[in-house]
Amino acid sequence: MRTWSLAKGAVVAAAVCTLVTQFLLYFRWLAHYANEDQTLLWAAARDWGHVRPRQPNFWGQDYSTTFEAIPAALFHGLGLSYGSALTLAVLLLNLAAWFALGFAAWRLGRPMLAVLAFGAIAAMSVDHAVLTIGYNTAAPRALLAVAAATLLLVGRHRWLVVGALSLALLTLCWDASGLLLFAPMVFYAVARHRPRPAQWRFLLAALVAIGAPTVAWLQFTSAWYDRHPEDAMHAPPTLEPGWSRLVHNLSTPNKFFGAFGSALWVSWLVPAAVVVLLLVVALRRNDRLALVSVLSVVGVTFLILSVPRAAEALDTPYLPNARTLLPLPMALVFCAAILRPAIRPAEATGSASSERSVRGGQLRVAVAVAAPLIGLLGLVVAWQQQAGELKDKAIAYSVYPQRRNEVLDDLCGRVQTAADAHHVDTVVFDLKVSTYACAALGTHLVTVYPQYERRSWVLRTFLDHPDEPFIFVSELDDQVAVDFSQPWCQVIATGQGFENFLLCTPDELVWRIDLLNYLNQPVRTTF
């Protein structure tokens, strides 16, 4: 009883540590900055708020989603800014994923594992904490984790198992890295329920129920992109495994696994040690299910490392190599949850044995309590040493820039004022992050980034009105060729640095697309 009371306190302590670390990052950094993908989700949240989803997947591509924008739209309706609403939505989705697994571990009678799950975010590195909030695949990951937790808790309810697997399989359409968790889920479901051939009617119905939502989604999206091929301008990841690529990626393990290390020791050796520990325990307990499940996670990890997507990374905290393996820690927690319990001495063997068992349980829980507390201390220390560097790195990286939300609010306010003053509703930008931010923050504004505009419907509308005026907002020093665009474009406002607002007025001979070329803003070739 005392052990369980200690375990309850440990769970609460772990959850508090996780909340502190997450909201520390939220208030100190991530709620105040945005990159181009996040501002695109601002615009998507505005469309979801008006129940006008524009595309099945993330805008401009046939994979991933904008589902994170749905709770962001709800929070915006409650009065939060789009920047704060989106970051809070992603943060809460990530917490829901881990807390669902922790709750399942607790209900299964695994208090130490529950503590570790509730405190995992606090115990892992700053890089991981930033990535889970900054890289916007939280919705499918949260749904997958909830499906995994459901699978652990439903017992013998076969159709609930089918529902959990169906939801988990569907999430792979939105984030294929979820295969890391889905693989052990399948092995667990099959081993736990062991369907017999005589139950062929149930087996057939179960397979249909599991696969039907995924097939329906794939059919729907395939038909969509057949009708709107310009909406899939961004090339999808290719599945071309290669041994040489796998060997090369394994030669730099810290790039892929370092983020899953502890706050005090950011190293790939930490997750590697967890995998080895799970394998050793499974072998000692002769637990073939857990052994096969862990090996399946290792196999999927190698598969991911062998495809080109794994090496596609940018030198920014938002898009590192580790993003392709984000569900890995959850998969390891799931494998630990399905481990066969250790054989405990019977109460009849004497009070000394019972006392040793209690002391052993207390020791395990004490270790579990220490992990998140050390993680919290480590994150506070690491914040001073690492998080500030990560923030500066994200701001300085010009290929995928991060900007303060206040700066974007000010810019979009001045753009709106200029557009209203000159009775113009279309604005062209030379930065993507500004384009999508002003699409969300502006009133009756059509914003365009011609070179790589992900919203084909916006670009089509822009080109369908070739002789209507527009404002060009230049923030880069080498973009404006005013000498060539005169007399069609006139500077109407200037700002800090190289910022210029130009009012451009096409005519019958010089159309919008011609002025875009004069302004070094050619329309994307995939349109």
Side-chain angles (χ1 to χ4, degrees):
M1 181 66 66
R2 291 166 56 189
T3 299
W4 278 95
S5 298
L6 179 61
K8 291 178 182 178
V11 166
V12 173
V16 169
C17 289
T18 293
L19 292 172
V20 168
T21 56
Q22 290 284 274
F23 282 99
L24 176 67
L25 287 172
Y26 176 81
F27 288 111
R28 291 285 298 275
W29 174 5
L30 298 174
H32 305 291
Y33 288 86
N35 57 47
E36 62 191 56
D37 286 341
Q38 290 169 327
T39 54
L40 185 148
L41 287 173
W42 295 6
R46 180 171 179 169
D47 283 351
W48 278 108
H50 292 92
V51 198
R52 293 182 310 186
R54 299 286 189 169
Q55 188 176 337
N57 300 99
F58 197 83
W59 291 351
Q61 57 195 46
D62 59 359
Y63 59 96
S64 194
T65 71
T66 59
F67 291 164
E68 292 81 9
I70 299 176
L74 297 176
F75 290 137
H76 179 70
L78 296 176
L80 292 180
S81 67
Y82 279 114
S84 297
L86 176 66
T87 308
L88 181 62
V90 175
L91 183 151
L92 293 178
L93 286 168
N94 189 51
L95 288 176
W98 278 106
F99 285 8
L101 290 174
F103 176 75
W106 177 267
R107 292 297 300 270
L108 290 173
R110 304 291 180 90
M112 182 174 179
L113 183 61
V115 172
L116 291 175
F118 277 100
I121 301 176
M124 283 190 280
S125 71
V126 179
D127 303 69
H128 173 266
V130 171
L131 184 57
T132 53
I133 301 176
Y135 185 58
N136 299 303
T137 57
R141 197 165 58 250
L143 291 173
L144 179 61
V146 169
T150 302
L151 186 63
L152 291 171
L153 296 175
V154 294
R156 296 291 180 179
H157 298 283
R158 298 186 303 178
W159 286 109
L160 290 178
V161 171
V162 170
L165 291 178
S166 179
L167 175 61
L169 181 61
L170 182 60
T171 65
L172 301 188
C173 298
W174 308 321
D175 181 15
S177 65
L179 185 61
L180 285 161
L181 180 51
F182 182 72
M185 287 176 62
V186 171
F187 285 116
Y188 173 75
V190 173
R192 179 70 182 272
H193 296 276
R194 298 179 182 176
R196 298 184 300 273
Q199 299 174 307
W200 65 269
R201 289 187 178 86
F202 166 74
L203 289 175
L204 181 60
L207 289 174
V208 171
I210 291 172
T214 299
V215 172
W217 176 266
L218 294 176
Q219 290 290 337
F220 167 65
T221 54
S222 177
W224 178 279
Y225 295 111
D226 284 342
R227 294 194 305 270
H228 308 282
E230 68 279 4
D231 286 350
M233 54 166 285
H234 195 73
T238 57
L239 183 62
E240 298 176 355
W243 283 107
S244 60
R245 191 178 298 110
L246 172 62
V247 172
H248 174 74
N249 289 336
L250 288 175
S251 67
T252 55
N254 234 38
K255 291 198 314 186
F256 295 93
F257 305 104
F260 307 125
S262 69
L264 294 177
W265 189 27
V266 183
S267 171
W268 65 274
L269 292 173
V270 175
V274 173
V275 172
V276 172
L277 177 63
L278 288 174
L279 290 173
V280 170
V281 173
L283 287 171
R284 290 194 61 181
R285 298 181 184 177
N286 194 27
D287 191 338
R288 288 177 291 180
L289 170 60
L291 182 63
V292 171
S293 298
V294 176
L295 290 177
S296 72
V297 173
V298 174
V300 174
T301 300
F302 285 174
L303 174 63
I304 293 175
L305 293 179
S306 69
V307 300
R309 178 73 168 178
E312 296 173 359
L314 296 177
D315 191 22
T316 172
Y318 294 119
L319 293 173
N321 298 96
R323 76 189 191 282
T324 58
L325 298 168
L326 265 182
L328 177 61
M330 295 180 184
L332 297 179
V333 168
F334 183 87
C335 291
I338 64 177
L339 270 171
R340 183 181 300 160
I343 299 177
R344 302 185 183 280
E347 294 181 0
T349 59
S351 60
S353 177
S354 177
E355 291 177 2
R356 285 196 299 271
S357 176
V358 171
R359 286 198 298 271
Q362 292 175 340
L363 177 62
R364 288 192 295 272
V365 174
V367 171
V369 172
L373 291 177
I374 292 174
L376 176 60
L377 176 63
L379 189 61
V380 172
V381 174
W383 175 264
Q384 304 298 328
Q385 300 179 353
Q386 300 172 21
E389 297 176 2
L390 289 175
K391 181 170 73 172
D392 294 340
K393 183 178 181 181
I395 295 172
Y397 191 62
S398 59
V399 177
Y400 193 77
Q402 166 184 265
R403 301 186 70 180
R404 285 193 66 89
N405 293 348
E406 292 85 352
V407 173
L408 293 172
D409 288 340
D410 175 71
L411 172 64
C412 295
R414 290 186 286 114
V415 168
Q416 183 73 60
T417 300
D420 292 342
H422 293 87
H423 306 289
V424 174
D425 63 358
T426 303
V427 184
V428 175
F429 293 82
D430 60 1
L431 283 178
K432 284 180 276 188
V433 63
S434 306
T435 306
Y436 302 129
C438 293
L441 301 175
T443 303
H444 304 298
L445 273 186
V446 178
T447 65
V448 188
Y449 180 74
Q451 297 185 71
Y452 204 78
E453 178 56 72
R454 286 176 171 267
R455 302 163 299 169
S456 60
W457 56 93
V458 169
L459 192 55
R460 185 184 303 110
T461 301
F462 178 82
L463 296 178
D464 284 345
H465 300 80
D467 57 352
E468 293 186 7
F470 63 91
I471 291 176
F472 176 56
V473 177
S474 172
E475 299 180 82
L476 302 177
D477 60 338
D478 60 348
Q479 295 300 305
V480 181
V482 178
D483 293 340
F484 295 99
S485 60
Q486 290 180 344
W488 299 280
C489 293
Q490 303 292 330
V491 176
I492 57 174
T494 59
Q496 295 182 352
F498 299 98
E499 184 182 280
N500 289 284
F501 291 9
L502 283 75
L503 177 63
C504 296
T505 308
D507 56 29
E508 293 81 359
L509 298 178
V510 179
W511 288 3
R512 280 180 165 181
I513 194 169
D514 301 314
L515 291 179
L516 291 179
N517 291 325
Y518 291 150
L519 297 169
N520 295 325
Q521 299 294 312
V523 176
R524 63 179 171 94
T525 57
T526 53
F527 183 71

